[in-house]
Structure formats: structure tokens, C-alpha cells
Amino acid sequence: MDITLLDRLLAVADLFQRDRDRAYDGTALSPARMHVLWVVHHEGPVTQQTLALRLAVTPRNISGLVDALESAGYLLRRAHPTDRRAHLVSLTDRGVALMRTTEDEHKELSSNLLDAVDPADRDSLQRGLEAVTARLRELMAEHAPTAEVRAS
Amino acid sequence: MDITLLDRLLAVADLFQRDRDRAYDGTALSPARMHVLWVVHHEGPVTQQTLALRLAVTPRNISGLVDALESAGYLLRRAHPTDRRAHLVSLTDRGVALMRTTEDEHKELSSNLLDAVDPADRDSLQRGLEAVTARLRELMAEHAPTAEVRAS
DNA sequence: TATTGTTATACTCTATAACTATA
DNA sequence: TATAGTTATAGAGTATAACAATA
């Protein structure tokens, strides 16, 4: 009885989750909050509606996440220039600095993991993961009731 | 700018999580509760202490998870034969049936995903994942304060 | 004294529903 | 009328701390 592909993939997924959860231990950050910062970092100032679409979460939740991140000094709400109902969320200097560090660590981990793989296996590994990802997306699409997420 | 190995792995991990979360939508089940059932299924009747160790979670949380699963009819608490402080948690018939179905689906998904991968890439994919898992474990061990989890 | 499981309390992430201010 | 964001409320998972019963 050997370990299946699925078991290996689930093991990796589990390790990522544990690592990530532990990394935010004792800080004001969390996976959901980092996700918000990530979106703001890559899409510039955005409305909370956009954040709700990107995280696939209700607008109510965004209020809480942005509240916490604003209190911690990572981002701030500004008035939208043309729509007085909306807030534009943007990073503070501290938020920008955090995202730079995070991206550096991401790259470092990325090459660290690649180094662990035999060069002769690397191309197949990438292709294999690509194929698995595509198949998973297909399977989920089959069971999902066509929920499309568009930009705004 | 191409997709890195880390990005691909994170994409797969994310897909698994979404798929799993959605699968339990509208049921009395959840990832944490399924984890409890999984342990009971594979280790026979166990105490809540053992469950707390296996899930790496406080005993308090186990009380809640077992309460919910008992209400839903998947498992039950019996008196421990020799230790009157402890409960022995075991599956009901309904719990056993659920775990059988779950294992079947697991196997089915496993071969479905393997089928998606070019046969020429399969061995390298498995070896590559093995190497990545090992490296991830090393990295986590470096940063972790030697927390060992033993059986009881 | 130490351990098993519980009650009490709190924090994070999530959801729905109702409401305010604006489009 | 519809949209942006909020308040109110609720449920799940997690944690610590204090406590009862039992080892």
C-alpha cells in the first residue's frame, strides 16, 4: 500500500496551511488579512466592493478585515473622488514595507523548494502540477452552479 | 514572468481547500469534524485526549466537535472501561457508512487526478512532491520549538 | 498532585438581514 | 431603485483559564 498522488498533494497543502497559520501567530496579521493586503498591493487603491469580490466574501467581512488592518497601521480608507458612498483602501508606508518583505520571502521560499527537487524531475513536476490543477478546476466547475467573479 | 513552483503548489492547495469547504456546505459536517471522524475511523474508539493530540487542538475544542458529531448521529461517547474520567468516542453505523463513502470518493478522486497527468511525467511528479514535502518539513522544524506529538 | 473533560470567556472568519447615505 | 458600507446577530473553529471528578 503506497502513498497516492492525492495523498501527497494533500500533505503539501496541509503543510502550507500550518506554516502560514503559525507565521501570523502573535501578530495582528492573519491569512484573510494578508489576502486583503495582497490585493491592495497588486491592484492599487480599491473599493471594499472590489475586495469583497476578490476574496469571494461578503462586504460585511471586508469591513472587519479593513478595520483591523487600519488599526494595525497597514492600510487606510480614503474618500472616493467621485462616489461619496465608497471608500478607497490603500496601503500605508508600513503596509508597503510589509508587502515588500513578504514578496522577498515568497521568492526565497520558491527557490528553496525548487532546489530541493532533482533537476531531472523539475519539468515533469511543473507539467504534472499544471495538469492536476486543470483537472481540479474542471471537477469543481462541474459541481458548481456557474458562479462567475468579475472585476469592478 | 512565469509561474513558479511555489505558485503552482499554492494554487493546488487553494483549490483543495475551496473544494472541501464547499462540499460540506449545508451539512452538519466540516473539515474539523471530518478530521475527528477520520481519526476515530482509523484508530478505533479513542479518548478525547487522543483526539486533541491528533488534531493538534485543545481538549476544549474537541468537546465542541464531538458534541456536534454526536448530535448529528455520526458518533457517540461511551464510558471508558477503566478510567471513569474519560470518554471513549466511537463511530455509529451512520458514521461508519459515511467514512466508507468518503474513502471511496477519495480513491476515485485520486485516480481521476492521476489520469490527468501524462504517464511520462508521473514518476517525476511523485518524486518532486516527495522532495518538496521533505524540504517543507525541514523548514518548519527549523522554526518550530520542538513540539512532538505522541500517541497515548 | 496530575489528568480528563467541562464551563466561562474571547478572538477570528464567515454569513444574512436590516439600515444609512448616496447614486 | 440600486449600490457602498455599516450595524446587529449568529455560527464555526480556535485559544486560555478555572473547575469538577477521578487517578
Side-chain angles (χ1 to χ4, degrees):
Chain A
M1 182 63 189
D2 48 14
I3 304 170
T4 68
L5 172 60
L6 177 55
D7 292 332
R8 288 187 206 278
L9 290 167
L10 289 172
V12 172
D14 188 57
L15 283 172
F16 277 132
Q17 200 186 325
R18 285 176 189 279
D19 184 44
R20 210 183 47 163
D21 287 351
R22 210 193 43 192
Y24 300 135
D25 226 56
T27 74
L29 297 172
S30 71
R33 290 172 188 175
M34 274 308 275
H35 197 169
V36 168
L37 293 178
W38 182 266
V39 172
V40 178
H41 181 53
H42 283 90
E43 303 194 24
V46 290
T47 64
Q48 298 189 189
Q49 280 296 322
T50 301
L51 288 173
L53 285 170
R54 292 291 179 278
L55 301 220
V57 124
T58 63
R60 173 62 186 92
N61 294 325
I62 299 298
S63 295
L65 296 171
V66 170
D67 281 350
L69 288 166
E70 197 168 25
S71 298
Y74 291 111
L75 50 75
L76 46 84
R77 279 183 252 236
R78 293 177 334 200
H80 191 289
T82 63
D83 187 341
R84 295 206 299 178
R85 294 169 306 178
H87 293 151
L88 273 185
V89 177
S90 53
L91 293 180
T92 60
D93 289 347
R94 187 179 182 190
V96 171
L98 173 67
M99 292 318 290
R100 285 209 182 110
T101 304
T102 301
E103 285 193 316
D104 287 348
E105 288 170 355
H106 184 94
K107 282 175 195 160
E108 193 187 316
L109 177 58
S110 197
S111 32
N112 194 328
L113 293 181
L114 192 59
D115 282 350
V117 179
D118 185 330
D121 289 333
R122 288 178 190 166
D123 285 351
S124 292
L125 175 59
Q126 301 265 10
R127 272 196 304 270
L129 287 174
E130 188 74 16
V132 166
T133 302
R135 175 60 57 93
L136 266 177
R137 290 223 167 87
E138 282 170 30
L139 291 173
M140 289 188 67
E142 277 175 28
H143 297 288
T146 14
E148 289 169 88
V149 177
R150 274 193 310 310
S152 100
Chain B
M1 183 61 190
D2 47 13
I3 303 171
T4 68
L5 172 60
L6 178 55
D7 292 331
R8 289 187 206 278
L9 290 168
L10 288 172
V12 173
D14 188 56
L15 283 172
F16 278 131
Q17 200 186 326
R18 285 176 189 281
D19 185 43
R20 212 183 45 164
D21 286 352
R22 209 193 43 193
Y24 300 134
D25 225 57
T27 74
L29 297 172
S30 70
R33 291 173 189 176
M34 275 306 277
H35 196 169
V36 168
L37 292 179
W38 182 266
V39 173
V40 179
H41 181 53
H42 283 90
E43 304 195 23
V46 291
T47 63
Q48 298 188 189
Q49 280 295 322
T50 302
L51 288 172
L53 285 170
R54 292 290 178 279
L55 302 219
V57 124
T58 63
R60 173 63 187 91
N61 295 324
I62 299 298
S63 294
L65 295 170
V66 170
D67 281 350
L69 288 166
E70 197 168 25
S71 298
Y74 292 111
L75 49 77
L76 47 84
R77 279 182 253 235
R78 292 177 334 203
H80 190 290
T82 63
D83 187 339
R84 297 206 299 180
R85 294 168 307 177
H87 293 151
L88 272 187
V89 176
S90 54
L91 293 181
T92 61
D93 289 346
R94 187 178 182 192
V96 172
L98 174 67
M99 292 318 290
R100 285 210 182 109
T101 305
T102 301
E103 285 193 317
D104 287 348
E105 288 171 354
H106 184 93
K107 283 175 194 159
E108 193 187 316
L109 177 57
S110 197
S111 34
N112 194 328
L113 293 182
L114 192 59
D115 281 350
V117 178
D118 185 329
D121 288 334
R122 288 177 191 167
D123 286 350
S124 291
L125 174 58
Q126 302 265 12
R127 271 197 304 272
L129 287 173
E130 188 75 14
V132 166
T133 302
R135 174 61 56 94
L136 265 177
R137 290 221 168 89
E138 281 171 31
L139 291 174
M140 288 187 67
E142 277 176 27
H143 296 289
T146 15
E148 288 169 88
V149 177
R150 273 193 312 312
S152 99

